[in-house]
Amino acid sequence: SIQALFGFFSIFSLGICELQLNEKVRQKSFRAMVRQDISWFDLPENSVSVLTHKLSTEASAISQIISTRMGLSLRSIASVVVTVILCLATAWALALVVTPTFPVMLLAGYLQVILTARFADRKNILIENSAKVAIEAVGNVYTVATLGIEKRLMRKYDQLLKQPFKYDLKSSVINDV
């Protein structure tokens, strides 16, 4: 019952924080993009498609960190603290044996978070490449149709979409190990 109450409180409060933060991140990101010098937009990493993709995904990623990961972390910490207290109260000898393993488990969790973040960054770059092709093709649909390069663009897009999928499989295997 304590965990259910804490779970409701964390989901509710973190949900409100997530919505407010998501809105602020999108607003500030857009304002920062609009204020850039015109030469900034000429760089390949600042094309319209990449900036549009970043504007839509980065705020969502931050929201996911706040709502999902932070909520899970808070619930996990609360569970560990309540478990240790109950173990100390009921079977103190067992609690003294199990408690020293917590730092090892925390280190393993920390390493998994770092690996997951690195894999996610690389995957986002691969997804941005495919989004760039799609957005530019749709934005220039008349030119694409006039030149008759629809099939070539679809093949290129399919190839670029396969890269994140293959990378996900590889990262899942490494992360699970």
Side-chain angles (χ1 to χ4, degrees), residues 108-122 167 171 174-177:
Y110 178 73
L111 291 175
Q112 185 174 14
V113 167
I114 289 174
L115 279 175
T116 303
R118 286 188 183 163
F119 287 135
D121 289 343
R122 175 74 177 128
Y167 190 75
S171 65
I174 292 172
N175 212 2
D176 288 343
V177 169

PDB file of all heavy atoms in Angstrom, residues 108-122 167 171 174-177:
ATOM      1  N   ALA A 108      26.419  -1.893 -11.500  1.00  0.00           N
ATOM      2  CA  ALA A 108      25.948  -2.582 -12.704  1.00  0.00           C
ATOM      3  C   ALA A 108      24.813  -1.794 -13.368  1.00  0.00           C
ATOM      4  O   ALA A 108      24.779  -1.649 -14.589  1.00  0.00           O
ATOM      5  CB  ALA A 108      25.488  -3.991 -12.357  1.00  0.00           C
ATOM      6  N   GLY A 109      23.919  -1.254 -12.578  1.00  0.00           N
ATOM      7  CA  GLY A 109      22.832  -0.433 -13.123  1.00  0.00           C
ATOM      8  C   GLY A 109      23.343   0.841 -13.766  1.00  0.00           C
ATOM      9  O   GLY A 109      22.875   1.246 -14.831  1.00  0.00           O
ATOM     10  N   TYR A 110      24.337   1.459 -13.127  1.00  0.00           N
ATOM     11  CA  TYR A 110      24.931   2.679 -13.675  1.00  0.00           C
ATOM     12  C   TYR A 110      25.614   2.403 -15.008  1.00  0.00           C
ATOM     13  O   TYR A 110      25.452   3.158 -15.973  1.00  0.00           O
ATOM     14  CB  TYR A 110      25.932   3.256 -12.667  1.00  0.00           C
ATOM     15  CG  TYR A 110      26.631   4.496 -13.155  1.00  0.00           C
ATOM     16  CD1 TYR A 110      25.959   5.700 -13.241  1.00  0.00           C
ATOM     17  CD2 TYR A 110      27.964   4.454 -13.532  1.00  0.00           C
ATOM     18  CE1 TYR A 110      26.593   6.845 -13.695  1.00  0.00           C
ATOM     19  CE2 TYR A 110      28.619   5.585 -13.991  1.00  0.00           C
ATOM     20  CZ  TYR A 110      27.920   6.779 -14.065  1.00  0.00           C
ATOM     21  OH  TYR A 110      28.559   7.901 -14.522  1.00  0.00           O
ATOM     22  N   LEU A 111      26.364   1.308 -15.088  1.00  0.00           N
ATOM     23  CA  LEU A 111      27.023   0.945 -16.345  1.00  0.00           C
ATOM     24  C   LEU A 111      26.002   0.653 -17.444  1.00  0.00           C
ATOM     25  O   LEU A 111      26.211   1.017 -18.605  1.00  0.00           O
ATOM     26  CB  LEU A 111      27.936  -0.258 -16.138  1.00  0.00           C
ATOM     27  CG  LEU A 111      29.178  -0.003 -15.282  1.00  0.00           C
ATOM     28  CD1 LEU A 111      29.936  -1.304 -15.047  1.00  0.00           C
ATOM     29  CD2 LEU A 111      30.079   1.024 -15.941  1.00  0.00           C
ATOM     30  N   GLN A 112      24.899   0.036 -17.087  1.00  0.00           N
ATOM     31  CA  GLN A 112      23.872  -0.244 -18.082  1.00  0.00           C
ATOM     32  C   GLN A 112      23.236   1.055 -18.579  1.00  0.00           C
ATOM     33  O   GLN A 112      22.957   1.193 -19.773  1.00  0.00           O
ATOM     34  CB  GLN A 112      22.803  -1.167 -17.507  1.00  0.00           C
ATOM     35  CG  GLN A 112      21.788  -1.589 -18.549  1.00  0.00           C
ATOM     36  CD  GLN A 112      20.808  -2.621 -18.044  1.00  0.00           C
ATOM     37  OE1 GLN A 112      20.717  -2.852 -16.844  1.00  0.00           O
ATOM     38  NE2 GLN A 112      20.074  -3.221 -18.951  1.00  0.00           N
ATOM     39  N   VAL A 113      23.037   2.011 -17.700  1.00  0.00           N
ATOM     40  CA  VAL A 113      22.475   3.302 -18.114  1.00  0.00           C
ATOM     41  C   VAL A 113      23.425   4.008 -19.076  1.00  0.00           C
ATOM     42  O   VAL A 113      22.999   4.576 -20.092  1.00  0.00           O
ATOM     43  CB  VAL A 113      22.173   4.180 -16.877  1.00  0.00           C
ATOM     44  CG1 VAL A 113      21.896   5.616 -17.270  1.00  0.00           C
ATOM     45  CG2 VAL A 113      21.001   3.608 -16.107  1.00  0.00           C
ATOM     46  N   ILE A 114      24.717   3.977 -18.789  1.00  0.00           N
ATOM     47  CA  ILE A 114      25.705   4.619 -19.670  1.00  0.00           C
ATOM     48  C   ILE A 114      25.712   3.949 -21.041  1.00  0.00           C
ATOM     49  O   ILE A 114      25.697   4.632 -22.072  1.00  0.00           O
ATOM     50  CB  ILE A 114      27.110   4.576 -19.029  1.00  0.00           C
ATOM     51  CG1 ILE A 114      27.165   5.538 -17.839  1.00  0.00           C
ATOM     52  CG2 ILE A 114      28.181   4.947 -20.037  1.00  0.00           C
ATOM     53  CD1 ILE A 114      28.447   5.463 -17.058  1.00  0.00           C
ATOM     54  N   LEU A 115      25.726   2.624 -21.063  1.00  0.00           N
ATOM     55  CA  LEU A 115      25.697   1.909 -22.342  1.00  0.00           C
ATOM     56  C   LEU A 115      24.428   2.208 -23.119  1.00  0.00           C
ATOM     57  O   LEU A 115      24.469   2.446 -24.331  1.00  0.00           O
ATOM     58  CB  LEU A 115      25.804   0.399 -22.110  1.00  0.00           C
ATOM     59  CG  LEU A 115      27.190  -0.166 -21.876  1.00  0.00           C
ATOM     60  CD1 LEU A 115      27.108  -1.653 -21.546  1.00  0.00           C
ATOM     61  CD2 LEU A 115      28.061   0.032 -23.104  1.00  0.00           C
ATOM     62  N   THR A 116      23.303   2.221 -22.442  1.00  0.00           N
ATOM     63  CA  THR A 116      22.034   2.496 -23.105  1.00  0.00           C
ATOM     64  C   THR A 116      22.029   3.904 -23.694  1.00  0.00           C
ATOM     65  O   THR A 116      21.550   4.109 -24.816  1.00  0.00           O
ATOM     66  CB  THR A 116      20.868   2.329 -22.110  1.00  0.00           C
ATOM     67  OG1 THR A 116      20.908   1.013 -21.566  1.00  0.00           O
ATOM     68  CG2 THR A 116      19.537   2.560 -22.777  1.00  0.00           C
ATOM     69  N   ALA A 117      22.564   4.868 -22.961  1.00  0.00           N
ATOM     70  CA  ALA A 117      22.608   6.242 -23.463  1.00  0.00           C
ATOM     71  C   ALA A 117      23.497   6.350 -24.697  1.00  0.00           C
ATOM     72  O   ALA A 117      23.149   7.024 -25.672  1.00  0.00           O
ATOM     73  CB  ALA A 117      23.106   7.183 -22.372  1.00  0.00           C
ATOM     74  N   ARG A 118      24.632   5.677 -24.688  1.00  0.00           N
ATOM     75  CA  ARG A 118      25.523   5.715 -25.859  1.00  0.00           C
ATOM     76  C   ARG A 118      24.863   5.070 -27.069  1.00  0.00           C
ATOM     77  O   ARG A 118      24.948   5.578 -28.181  1.00  0.00           O
ATOM     78  CB  ARG A 118      26.845   5.026 -25.536  1.00  0.00           C
ATOM     79  CG  ARG A 118      27.714   5.868 -24.650  1.00  0.00           C
ATOM     80  CD  ARG A 118      29.083   5.268 -24.486  1.00  0.00           C
ATOM     81  NE  ARG A 118      29.863   6.085 -23.558  1.00  0.00           N
ATOM     82  CZ  ARG A 118      30.953   5.681 -22.973  1.00  0.00           C
ATOM     83  NH1 ARG A 118      31.424   4.470 -23.208  1.00  0.00           N
ATOM     84  NH2 ARG A 118      31.588   6.473 -22.146  1.00  0.00           N
ATOM     85  N   PHE A 119      24.201   3.940 -26.846  1.00  0.00           N
ATOM     86  CA  PHE A 119      23.515   3.286 -27.952  1.00  0.00           C
ATOM     87  C   PHE A 119      22.374   4.165 -28.474  1.00  0.00           C
ATOM     88  O   PHE A 119      22.148   4.237 -29.677  1.00  0.00           O
ATOM     89  CB  PHE A 119      22.980   1.920 -27.528  1.00  0.00           C
ATOM     90  CG  PHE A 119      24.051   0.874 -27.365  1.00  0.00           C
ATOM     91  CD1 PHE A 119      24.054   0.036 -26.275  1.00  0.00           C
ATOM     92  CD2 PHE A 119      25.048   0.729 -28.313  1.00  0.00           C
ATOM     93  CE1 PHE A 119      25.037  -0.940 -26.124  1.00  0.00           C
ATOM     94  CE2 PHE A 119      26.043  -0.242 -28.181  1.00  0.00           C
ATOM     95  CZ  PHE A 119      26.035  -1.073 -27.075  1.00  0.00           C
ATOM     96  N   ALA A 120      21.661   4.819 -27.581  1.00  0.00           N
ATOM     97  CA  ALA A 120      20.545   5.675 -27.998  1.00  0.00           C
ATOM     98  C   ALA A 120      21.041   6.870 -28.812  1.00  0.00           C
ATOM     99  O   ALA A 120      20.403   7.258 -29.799  1.00  0.00           O
ATOM    100  CB  ALA A 120      19.767   6.154 -26.778  1.00  0.00           C
ATOM    101  N   ASP A 121      22.173   7.459 -28.416  1.00  0.00           N
ATOM    102  CA  ASP A 121      22.730   8.584 -29.172  1.00  0.00           C
ATOM    103  C   ASP A 121      23.088   8.162 -30.591  1.00  0.00           C
ATOM    104  O   ASP A 121      22.773   8.856 -31.560  1.00  0.00           O
ATOM    105  CB  ASP A 121      23.968   9.145 -28.473  1.00  0.00           C
ATOM    106  CG  ASP A 121      23.639   9.880 -27.187  1.00  0.00           C
ATOM    107  OD1 ASP A 121      22.460  10.233 -26.987  1.00  0.00           O
ATOM    108  OD2 ASP A 121      24.569  10.103 -26.385  1.00  0.00           O
ATOM    109  N   ARG A 122      23.731   7.022 -30.719  1.00  0.00           N
ATOM    110  CA  ARG A 122      24.114   6.527 -32.053  1.00  0.00           C
ATOM    111  C   ARG A 122      22.872   6.190 -32.878  1.00  0.00           C
ATOM    112  O   ARG A 122      22.800   6.483 -34.065  1.00  0.00           O
ATOM    113  CB  ARG A 122      25.015   5.296 -31.898  1.00  0.00           C
ATOM    114  CG  ARG A 122      25.362   4.632 -33.182  1.00  0.00           C
ATOM    115  CD  ARG A 122      26.382   5.418 -33.976  1.00  0.00           C
ATOM    116  NE  ARG A 122      26.723   4.661 -35.173  1.00  0.00           N
ATOM    117  CZ  ARG A 122      26.686   5.162 -36.388  1.00  0.00           C
ATOM    118  NH1 ARG A 122      26.400   6.407 -36.577  1.00  0.00           N
ATOM    119  NH2 ARG A 122      26.980   4.413 -37.423  1.00  0.00           N
ATOM    120  N   TYR A 167      21.333  -1.882 -35.717  1.00  0.00           N
ATOM    121  CA  TYR A 167      22.062  -1.350 -34.563  1.00  0.00           C
ATOM    122  C   TYR A 167      21.322  -1.670 -33.269  1.00  0.00           C
ATOM    123  O   TYR A 167      21.936  -1.963 -32.246  1.00  0.00           O
ATOM    124  CB  TYR A 167      22.257   0.156 -34.725  1.00  0.00           C
ATOM    125  CG  TYR A 167      23.197   0.736 -33.712  1.00  0.00           C
ATOM    126  CD1 TYR A 167      24.571   0.539 -33.819  1.00  0.00           C
ATOM    127  CD2 TYR A 167      22.720   1.468 -32.637  1.00  0.00           C
ATOM    128  CE1 TYR A 167      25.430   1.052 -32.885  1.00  0.00           C
ATOM    129  CE2 TYR A 167      23.586   1.990 -31.705  1.00  0.00           C
ATOM    130  CZ  TYR A 167      24.937   1.780 -31.838  1.00  0.00           C
ATOM    131  OH  TYR A 167      25.790   2.291 -30.901  1.00  0.00           O
ATOM    132  N   SER A 171      22.877  -3.630 -30.178  1.00  0.00           N
ATOM    133  CA  SER A 171      22.928  -2.997 -28.858  1.00  0.00           C
ATOM    134  C   SER A 171      22.142  -3.775 -27.825  1.00  0.00           C
ATOM    135  O   SER A 171      22.519  -3.824 -26.659  1.00  0.00           O
ATOM    136  CB  SER A 171      22.439  -1.546 -28.924  1.00  0.00           C
ATOM    137  OG  SER A 171      21.086  -1.482 -29.276  1.00  0.00           O
ATOM    138  N   ILE A 174      24.390  -6.686 -26.712  1.00  0.00           N
ATOM    139  CA  ILE A 174      25.489  -6.180 -25.862  1.00  0.00           C
ATOM    140  C   ILE A 174      24.944  -5.722 -24.510  1.00  0.00           C
ATOM    141  O   ILE A 174      25.525  -5.991 -23.459  1.00  0.00           O
ATOM    142  CB  ILE A 174      26.249  -5.059 -26.577  1.00  0.00           C
ATOM    143  CG1 ILE A 174      27.000  -5.631 -27.784  1.00  0.00           C
ATOM    144  CG2 ILE A 174      27.224  -4.371 -25.626  1.00  0.00           C
ATOM    145  CD1 ILE A 174      27.619  -4.582 -28.672  1.00  0.00           C
ATOM    146  N   ASN A 175      23.808  -5.029 -24.531  1.00  0.00           N
ATOM    147  CA  ASN A 175      23.224  -4.502 -23.290  1.00  0.00           C
ATOM    148  C   ASN A 175      22.755  -5.624 -22.381  1.00  0.00           C
ATOM    149  O   ASN A 175      22.843  -5.531 -21.157  1.00  0.00           O
ATOM    150  CB  ASN A 175      22.065  -3.575 -23.646  1.00  0.00           C
ATOM    151  CG  ASN A 175      21.906  -2.458 -22.650  1.00  0.00           C
ATOM    152  OD1 ASN A 175      22.671  -2.326 -21.705  1.00  0.00           O
ATOM    153  ND2 ASN A 175      20.919  -1.636 -22.881  1.00  0.00           N
ATOM    154  N   ASP A 176      22.220  -6.699 -22.964  1.00  0.00           N
ATOM    155  CA  ASP A 176      21.752  -7.817 -22.148  1.00  0.00           C
ATOM    156  C   ASP A 176      22.899  -8.602 -21.516  1.00  0.00           C
ATOM    157  O   ASP A 176      22.719  -9.227 -20.470  1.00  0.00           O
ATOM    158  CB  ASP A 176      20.886  -8.758 -22.980  1.00  0.00           C
ATOM    159  CG  ASP A 176      19.531  -8.143 -23.284  1.00  0.00           C
ATOM    160  OD1 ASP A 176      19.161  -7.170 -22.597  1.00  0.00           O
ATOM    161  OD2 ASP A 176      18.850  -8.629 -24.197  1.00  0.00           O
ATOM    162  N   VAL A 177      24.061  -8.587 -22.183  1.00  0.00           N
ATOM    163  CA  VAL A 177      25.206  -9.300 -21.634  1.00  0.00           C
ATOM    164  C   VAL A 177      25.652  -8.553 -20.403  1.00  0.00           C
ATOM    165  O   VAL A 177      25.896  -9.026 -19.359  1.00  0.00           O
ATOM    166  CB  VAL A 177      26.332  -9.398 -22.668  1.00  0.00           C
ATOM    167  CG1 VAL A 177      27.612  -9.898 -22.036  1.00  0.00           C
ATOM    168  CG2 VAL A 177      25.913 -10.309 -23.780  1.00  0.00           C
TER     169      VAL A 177
END
